[in-house]
Amino acid sequence: MKSNENGEKEKEKQKPKIRFNALNLTNINQRVLAAQYAVRGELVIIADKMQREISEGKRTDLKKIVFCNIGNPQAVGQKPLTFIRQVLSLMEYPELLHNPNISSIYPPDAIARANEYMDDSKCGVGAYSNSQGFDFVLKDIADFIERRDGYKANPKNIFLSNGASEGIQMFLNTIIRNEIDGVMLPIPQYPLYSALLSLLGGKRVDYYLDENKGWGLCMEELENSLMAARKDGTNVRAIVVINPGNPTGQCLEVENMKEIIKFCHKQDIILIADEVYQENIYVEGKKFTSFRKVLYDMGDEYKDVQLFSCHSVSKGFLGECGQRGGYFELINFDEDVRDQIYKYASTRLCPNTIGQIVISIMTRPPKEGEPSYELYQKERNYILTELKERSILLTEELNKIPGIHCERPQGAMYIFPNVTLPPKFIEEAKKMGKQPDFLWAKHILEGAGVCVVPGSGFGQKPGTYHFRTTFLSDKESLKEATSRMKEVQEKIIKDYS
Amino acid sequence: MKSNENGEKEKEKQKPKIRFNALNLTNINQRVLAAQYAVRGELVIIADKMQREISEGKRTDLKKIVFCNIGNPQAVGQKPLTFIRQVLSLMEYPELLHNPNISSIYPPDAIARANEYMDDSKCGVGAYSNSQGFDFVLKDIADFIERRDGYKANPKNIFLSNGASEGIQMFLNTIIRNEIDGVMLPIPQYPLYSALLSLLGGKRVDYYLDENKGWGLCMEELENSLMAARKDGTNVRAIVVINPGNPTGQCLEVENMKEIIKFCHKQDIILIADEVYQENIYVEGKKFTSFRKVLYDMGDEYKDVQLFSCHSVSKGFLGECGQRGGYFELINFDEDVRDQIYKYASTRLCPNTIGQIVISIMTRPPKEGEPSYELYQKERNYILTELKERSILLTEELNKIPGIHCERPQGAMYIFPNVTLPPKFIEEAKKMGKQPDFLWAKHILEGAGVCVVPGSGFGQKPGTYHFRTTFLSDKESLKEATSRMKEVQEKIIKDYS
């Protein structure tokens, strides 16, 4: 045995070994290589490193890094809603429900809710739920949707997911068959969509939002974009509309939404409505309306329009990003197709159960008259009022910086300001092989300790430059951040003029 | 405006509308259609319906459905470990940490652990962690791996995931480029692998486990399977080995593992080691050894073998399926490749934070001398002893049923018995267009109220029939289930002889 082995070893040594399969950048799935996701890209890695240096006292020119790169409210100080966490805490340790002192710690409605969930789930959060999610959560979502839109929802058409992202990924995977299938994406867009299209090998069909009209959605642009794509041989299967917009914050008018639905109807295109910011509206007189409601309001003629709509516990006023709760609803889809998505969902067994419970509470919060109602409302209103005030403050402060211009966002959690860069700065970036706004954001990070995402990560009209910033940090931090950004920008203008 | 619209409507009515894009089974991604996942297939839907009927009193011939289709311990009565749930409960509601009565409810080490996690995570479980997972959890895993294998692990090579499934999906997506790339799968296999290969459009290369040698892995079979695939033009990139086996329960010997590693080395194939059942060994003298340890023990000559290994909180003695905690480690991979997987991981933002915390506790349980140590050990030992006894009992009971034969499983949570079916029964199934073992399992479900998965869902030698059953239910239920299965099987033999 031993000598045989050695004999084989000798033979192998004689022929040089060519390793084709050992993974490297040339032989991994090139669609993974092609995918880009700027929200957590190179700059964030630098920012994390800077933060560590500051914490360890190795860097003293900055007090802290202000992270404005990602909609992660609790990472920048937002407090979770008490009722939600009380219920989750009881779900994780249901022994507490039998503790005689429990009512001195938890309000009765939190205890009642946890007891109810324990009964409904039969075995709590430790077992897999069914693949679509707990039945009782699907029902809560259906009721929520009905209250919101005035039209009944069928729990069978709702799927829970690990955050909204997983649902979007599952749906795009269901519709993209090959490199000819395409999806229309707004530009600028939340880069999850372009990353997923890269991963799935589908075609990205860009349509531009109109910066001069508050990042509005213009039908002529949609038509032109679709026609150009079809001329190129792309089979456009769907259009993504993010409302309220990410990174742009615009909130669509019902009239505009009707036009989009008519467009989908006429052009036989599935509507993917990313509605995760539906609670985040900050401008008086503006109101979120779901695509589902608008579609149903338009009557039977439009019932052939297929609509995918998703929502999440990560945004709104909950900001429970880490708990990864999300759902999507399929409207006007065949049962056959739904069964296929169910089968697909079953390969990942189930969405995490705690995220599901958060969705249940989000869609069925304490009611008026219940013990936790007032606190829930107070916490909710504080968060939404703060977000509104911060969005106003940050818009004002950003507009004080030379070369930066932005409108006050109507919703969501972001501002997407325009930056005018000195021609010499642009030249230098190009010489370095970098996107000018990436280089600018790097200056801002390294000089001001503010982590924003360059506009090129979301897409923008050629020759224009932007960045995305959240307005989630407290006002003091935002003021400090913008004041330092102003210094850096003034220096850039001076150095490159 | 109105008249224009009507004009358009008229025009549209004239030409019949052909909808190419509305989703149906012919135009969805055919890879989704092709994917099969029997563990949650048609029979489970029937079983759920039967259970509802029993609960609602509409069906009285059965007391309950015994669900043996899925490794979901807490769904069939397993209790979660107290320490884990105490810590999670505090993490969800950290206000409790400031409650003066807290120490009358929680043991001091649970409080200390929750405080530690709150400090380390900075903002608890409500914020996104970084894409790979919390740094402090990665470190716990690395320490656990080092203690287990005696070789240092680098936290940078570890990724947390929503259950092990998500990690496997991410990795397969990274290596499968086209329909020529293939992965070797054991037959029978846990159908996640075949489902993912269908979804990704890669080639499945089967190798058979040897039922006559306790479902052992024979090198000649591996060589033959590989050669045949290569002859067919398949580029075999990786081999999946599930150890302890699912659905077969076998636990590999170190000598066998060395042969597999040599095979991977010689044939330039990545080794995907599914080691989620590493704690589930029930036979005296049998011991789990990780592929990582064997690989490192073999020395530098084999350091070109690339190994992916995954683990989970859903199995072992935790059975925390719903919390969706998992991780994988990349061994001998380039940093470049790891960075790509990091980027890919970042598109789903982060694995759910509660699942991460469960992984941390699993890999760093209470130590000897700490207040919760004894209870943790007691609960652990109770679960593992019960599982062992149940595996013995179920093997014995199954072997009493005519036509059913199985060996006692060495590990995991399943038995995969062989069923001899009457030729007439097989004929009838074929006439109905059904797999014979599917029809058999349907009889067992409808007649005995026991939900098992037909062997065809896992793959088996042509002409042989099997089913997979878990041994997770309590002994009383298992006895009752097998006694009813015996009746049904006897009736089948009588009716079809």
Side-chain angles (χ1 to χ4, degrees):
Chain A
M1 177 88 177
K2 193 103 202 196
S3 70
N4 261 352
E5 244 176 44
N6 284 338
E8 261 190 36
K9 230 185 264 173
E10 277 311 306
K11 261 190 279 169
E12 262 183 64
K13 268 184 200 161
Q14 282 156 23
K15 53 172 186 182
K17 198 169 179 195
I18 303 163
R19 288 187 49 97
F20 290 107
N21 259 326
L23 277 193
N24 59 47
L25 294 195
T26 66
N27 69 7
I28 65 169
N29 182 350
Q30 297 298 296
R31 296 185 295 276
V32 170
L33 196 67
Q36 295 300 332
Y37 188 69
V39 172
R40 290 206 161 184
E42 192 182 332
L43 289 178
V44 186
I45 294 169
I46 300 173
D48 283 334
K49 191 164 161 270
M50 287 172 68
Q51 181 59 59
R52 269 197 303 277
E53 287 169 359
I54 295 167
S55 306
E56 292 163 4
K58 289 179 193 157
R59 184 159 179 173
T60 51
D61 58 324
L62 295 168
K63 273 185 291 180
K64 65 169 180 185
I65 302 296
V66 182
F67 283 92
C68 298
N69 59 301
I70 189 163
N72 193 9
Q74 295 191 27
V76 291
Q78 184 176 307
K79 294 275 165 287
L81 273 78
T82 305
F83 181 77
I84 292 177
R85 295 307 198 88
Q86 286 171 332
V87 175
L88 295 180
S89 158
L90 290 165
M91 292 296 293
E92 284 291 8
Y93 190 37
E95 293 293 306
L96 287 180
L97 294 166
H98 311 297
N99 188 306
N101 300 317
I102 181 72
S103 58
S104 70
I105 304 176
Y106 292 91
D109 51 349
I111 297 170
R113 187 69 78 97
N115 271 315
E116 179 199 322
Y117 289 146
M118 287 305 297
D119 287 347
D120 286 346
S121 65
K122 294 192 189 73
C123 34
V125 292
Y128 297 124
S129 72
N130 76 47
S131 309
Q132 218 164 337
F134 288 122
D135 287 339
F136 60 93
V137 180
L138 299 175
K139 195 181 165 305
D140 285 339
I141 299 169
D143 291 346
F144 159 81
I145 293 173
E146 184 181 344
R147 284 195 310 276
R148 185 193 67 192
D149 297 342
Y151 295 99
K152 264 212 171 316
N154 184 348
K156 279 199 179 169
N157 295 331
I158 299 166
F159 286 75
L160 285 148
S161 52
N162 289 302
S165 307
E166 190 192 42
I168 295 164
Q169 180 243 317
M170 283 166 54
F171 187 71
L172 288 181
N173 201 355
T174 304
I175 66 172
I176 300 294
R177 298 163 295 185
N178 50 45
E179 65 282 6
I180 294 166
D181 284 340
V183 176
M184 296 179 72
L185 303 183
I187 299 298
Q189 52 112 23
Y190 176 51
L192 173 66
Y193 293 98
S194 47
L196 287 174
L197 280 177
S198 294
L199 282 168
L200 296 169
K203 204 144 220 133
R204 164 180 165 178
V205 177
D206 293 350
Y207 67 89
Y208 286 99
L209 300 176
D210 189 346
E211 183 165 14
N212 295 323
K213 293 181 179 160
W215 296 110
L217 198 154
C218 155
M219 295 315 294
E220 204 187 331
E221 170 66 16
L222 286 197
E223 301 273 357
N224 291 342
S225 156
L226 174 68
M227 293 313 142
R230 285 188 172 160
K231 217 171 152 188
D232 277 356
T234 301
N235 173 28
V236 178
R237 303 211 84 184
I239 179 172
V240 172
V241 179
I242 311 175
N243 180 41
N246 175 4
T248 50
Q250 91 285 9
C251 178
L252 295 178
E253 297 290 342
V254 169
E255 282 310 309
N256 201 185
M257 295 168 77
K258 279 188 190 164
E259 287 175 326
I260 296 165
I261 290 170
K262 283 182 190 166
F263 172 79
C264 291
H265 170 72
K266 185 172 164 201
Q267 302 294 351
D268 189 17
I269 286 175
I270 298 164
L271 177 54
I272 297 177
D274 181 336
E275 300 180 319
V276 300
Y277 297 100
Q278 56 188 269
E279 299 276 3
N280 300 98
I281 308 280
Y282 311 110
V283 171
E284 303 67 25
K286 273 278 169 192
K287 191 175 151 287
F288 168 81
T289 310
S290 75
F291 266 109
R292 183 177 179 277
K293 178 177 163 52
V294 177
L295 176 58
Y296 283 150
D297 282 348
M298 288 167 77
D300 276 358
E301 191 185 338
Y302 293 90
K303 77 173 178 225
D304 62 349
V305 174
Q306 299 188 318
L307 169 64
F308 164 102
S309 162
C310 60
H311 196 8
S312 163
V313 304
S314 304
K315 311 303 168 188
F317 52 92
L318 275 65
E320 291 283 12
C321 300
Q323 320 257 15
R324 311 307 294 119
Y327 78 80
F328 62 90
E329 186 191 9
L330 298 173
I331 296 134
N332 295 338
F333 284 86
D334 289 353
E335 266 189 51
D336 279 356
V337 169
R338 195 186 63 201
D339 290 348
Q340 289 300 317
I341 294 177
Y342 183 89
K343 182 184 66 181
Y344 180 10
S346 74
T347 64
R348 57 89 163 97
L349 297 161
C350 74
N352 87 81
T353 47
I354 282 288
Q356 296 189 46
I357 298 294
V358 184
I359 286 272
S360 167
I361 305 176
M362 176 180 87
T363 53
R364 183 160 58 98
K367 289 194 192 69
E368 205 165 345
E370 291 176 351
S372 297
Y373 175 78
E374 268 183 43
L375 181 62
Y376 194 93
Q377 289 303 317
K378 195 180 136 199
E379 290 173 339
R380 171 191 180 279
N381 295 339
Y382 174 77
I383 291 166
L384 290 177
T385 306
E386 272 292 315
L387 287 177
K388 178 182 167 177
E389 290 173 7
R390 290 173 194 182
S391 74
I392 296 170
L393 171 86
L394 185 58
T395 307
E396 275 172 9
E397 294 301 318
L398 284 169
N399 279 315
K400 287 179 191 164
I401 302 174
I404 291 186
H405 173 75
C406 54
E407 301 283 339
R408 178 183 159 196
Q410 300 174 333
M413 297 180 165
Y414 317 99
I415 309 179
F416 197 66
N418 190 301
V419 197
T420 309
L421 296 174
K424 279 189 191 164
F425 186 89
I426 296 171
E427 255 170 60
E428 179 164 307
K430 286 183 178 163
K431 265 187 228 156
M432 295 165 71
K434 296 283 180 195
Q435 294 283 353
D437 54 7
F438 173 88
L439 186 66
W440 181 83
K442 201 166 172 231
H443 274 265
I444 292 294
L445 172 60
E446 288 171 344
V450 183
C451 185
V452 298
V453 188
S456 44
F458 304 87
Q460 55 199 348
K461 283 233 156 135
T464 70
Y465 303 106
H466 299 80
F467 62 97
R468 187 188 80 166
T469 175
T470 65
F471 45 82
L472 296 170
S473 291
D474 61 90
K475 291 166 192 157
E476 212 42 60
S477 298
L478 290 177
K479 270 191 202 161
E480 168 79 16
T482 40
S483 131
R484 295 187 65 100
M485 283 172 77
K486 187 158 179 274
E487 283 171 36
V488 174
Q489 171 74 340
E490 280 165 353
K491 191 167 181 304
I492 289 173
I493 292 171
K494 201 173 135 234
D495 290 352
Y496 291 86
S497 67
Chain B
M1 177 87 177
K2 195 100 196 197
S3 70
N4 261 350
E5 245 175 45
N6 285 341
E8 258 188 38
K9 234 185 263 177
E10 278 310 307
K11 257 191 280 170
E12 264 182 62
K13 270 185 200 163
Q14 281 155 24
K15 53 173 182 182
K17 199 170 179 195
I18 304 165
R19 289 186 50 99
F20 290 106
N21 261 327
L23 277 194
N24 60 46
L25 293 196
T26 66
N27 69 9
I28 65 168
N29 181 349
Q30 296 297 297
R31 296 184 297 279
V32 170
L33 196 66
Q36 293 301 331
Y37 187 68
V39 172
R40 291 207 161 186
E42 191 181 333
L43 289 178
V44 186
I45 294 170
I46 299 174
D48 283 335
K49 191 164 162 271
M50 286 172 68
Q51 181 60 61
R52 268 196 305 276
E53 287 169 0
I54 295 168
S55 306
E56 293 164 3
K58 290 182 193 154
R59 186 161 175 168
T60 52
D61 59 325
L62 295 169
K63 272 185 292 183
K64 66 170 177 182
I65 301 296
V66 182
F67 282 92
C68 298
N69 60 300
I70 189 164
N72 193 8
Q74 295 191 27
V76 289
Q78 184 175 306
K79 292 275 164 290
L81 274 78
T82 304
F83 181 78
I84 292 176
R85 294 307 196 88
Q86 286 171 333
V87 175
L88 296 180
S89 156
L90 291 165
M91 293 297 294
E92 284 292 9
Y93 190 37
E95 293 293 306
L96 288 180
L97 294 165
H98 310 298
N99 187 305
N101 300 319
I102 181 71
S103 57
S104 70
I105 304 177
Y106 292 91
D109 52 349
I111 297 170
R113 187 70 78 94
N115 270 314
E116 180 199 320
Y117 289 145
M118 287 305 296
D119 286 349
D120 286 346
S121 65
K122 292 190 188 75
C123 32
V125 293
Y128 296 124
S129 71
N130 76 48
S131 310
Q132 220 165 334
F134 286 124
D135 286 338
F136 61 94
V137 181
L138 299 175
K139 196 180 166 305
D140 285 338
I141 300 169
D143 291 346
F144 159 80
I145 293 173
E146 184 182 345
R147 284 196 310 276
R148 186 192 64 190
D149 296 343
Y151 296 100
K152 264 212 171 316
N154 185 349
K156 279 197 180 170
N157 295 331
I158 299 165
F159 287 76
L160 286 148
S161 52
N162 289 305
S165 308
E166 189 193 43
I168 294 165
Q169 181 245 316
M170 282 167 54
F171 187 70
L172 287 181
N173 201 355
T174 305
I175 65 172
I176 299 295
R177 296 163 296 184
N178 49 45
E179 66 281 7
I180 293 164
D181 284 340
V183 176
M184 296 178 73
L185 303 184
I187 299 298
Q189 52 110 28
Y190 174 53
L192 172 68
Y193 293 97
S194 48
L196 287 174
L197 279 176
S198 294
L199 282 168
L200 296 168
K203 205 147 219 129
R204 164 182 166 175
V205 177
D206 293 350
Y207 66 91
Y208 285 99
L209 300 176
D210 189 347
E211 183 166 15
N212 294 322
K213 294 182 179 158
W215 297 111
L217 199 153
C218 157
M219 296 314 294
E220 206 187 327
E221 169 68 16
L222 286 197
E223 300 275 357
N224 291 343
S225 155
L226 175 68
M227 291 316 141
R230 282 188 176 159
K231 217 170 150 188
D232 277 355
T234 301
N235 173 29
V236 178
R237 303 212 83 184
I239 179 171
V240 172
V241 180
I242 311 176
N243 181 41
N246 176 2
T248 51
Q250 92 286 9
C251 177
L252 295 177
E253 297 290 341
V254 169
E255 282 312 310
N256 200 187
M257 296 168 77
K258 279 187 190 165
E259 288 176 326
I260 297 165
I261 290 170
K262 281 180 190 166
F263 173 79
C264 292
H265 170 71
K266 186 174 161 198
Q267 301 294 354
D268 190 16
I269 285 176
I270 298 164
L271 178 53
I272 297 177
D274 181 335
E275 300 180 316
V276 300
Y277 297 100
Q278 57 188 267
E279 300 277 1
N280 299 96
I281 310 280
Y282 311 110
V283 171
E284 305 67 22
K286 274 280 170 190
K287 193 174 151 282
F288 169 80
T289 310
S290 74
F291 266 109
R292 182 178 181 275
K293 178 176 164 50
V294 177
L295 176 58
Y296 282 150
D297 281 349
M298 288 168 76
D300 276 359
E301 192 185 338
Y302 293 91
K303 74 171 183 227
D304 62 350
V305 174
Q306 298 189 320
L307 170 64
F308 165 101
S309 164
C310 60
H311 196 8
S312 162
V313 304
S314 305
K315 312 302 166 185
F317 51 92
L318 276 66
E320 290 283 12
C321 299
Q323 319 259 13
R324 311 307 294 121
Y327 77 80
F328 63 90
E329 187 190 8
L330 298 172
I331 295 135
N332 296 335
F333 284 86
D334 290 353
E335 266 188 53
D336 279 356
V337 169
R338 196 186 60 202
D339 290 350
Q340 290 300 316
I341 294 177
Y342 183 89
K343 181 185 66 182
Y344 180 10
S346 73
T347 62
R348 58 85 164 100
L349 296 160
C350 73
N352 86 83
T353 48
I354 282 289
Q356 297 189 46
I357 297 295
V358 183
I359 286 273
S360 168
I361 304 176
M362 177 180 83
T363 53
R364 183 159 58 96
K367 287 196 193 68
E368 207 167 341
E370 290 175 355
S372 298
Y373 175 77
E374 269 182 45
L375 181 62
Y376 194 92
Q377 289 303 317
K378 196 179 135 199
E379 292 173 336
R380 171 190 181 278
N381 295 339
Y382 174 76
I383 291 167
L384 290 177
T385 305
E386 272 292 317
L387 286 178
K388 179 181 164 177
E389 291 173 5
R390 290 173 194 183
S391 74
I392 295 170
L393 171 87
L394 186 57
T395 307
E396 277 170 11
E397 295 300 318
L398 285 169
N399 278 313
K400 287 180 192 164
I401 302 175
I404 292 188
H405 173 74
C406 56
E407 301 282 340
R408 179 181 158 197
Q410 301 175 333
M413 296 180 167
Y414 316 99
I415 309 180
F416 196 66
N418 189 301
V419 198
T420 309
L421 296 174
K424 279 190 190 161
F425 185 90
I426 296 172
E427 253 170 61
E428 177 163 312
K430 284 180 181 167
K431 263 185 231 155
M432 295 166 71
K434 296 282 179 193
Q435 294 284 352
D437 53 7
F438 173 88
L439 185 64
W440 181 83
K442 202 168 170 226
H443 274 263
I444 292 294
L445 172 61
E446 289 172 343
V450 183
C451 184
V452 298
V453 189
S456 46
F458 304 88
Q460 55 200 350
K461 282 230 155 135
T464 69
Y465 303 106
H466 300 80
F467 63 94
R468 188 187 81 165
T469 173
T470 65
F471 45 82
L472 296 170
S473 290
D474 61 90
K475 291 167 193 156
E476 213 43 60
S477 299
L478 291 177
K479 271 192 204 159
E480 168 79 17
T482 41
S483 131
R484 294 187 66 98
M485 283 172 77
K486 189 158 175 276
E487 284 170 37
V488 175
Q489 171 73 343
E490 280 164 354
K491 188 164 184 306
I492 288 174
I493 292 173
K494 199 172 136 235
D495 291 352
Y496 291 87
S497 65

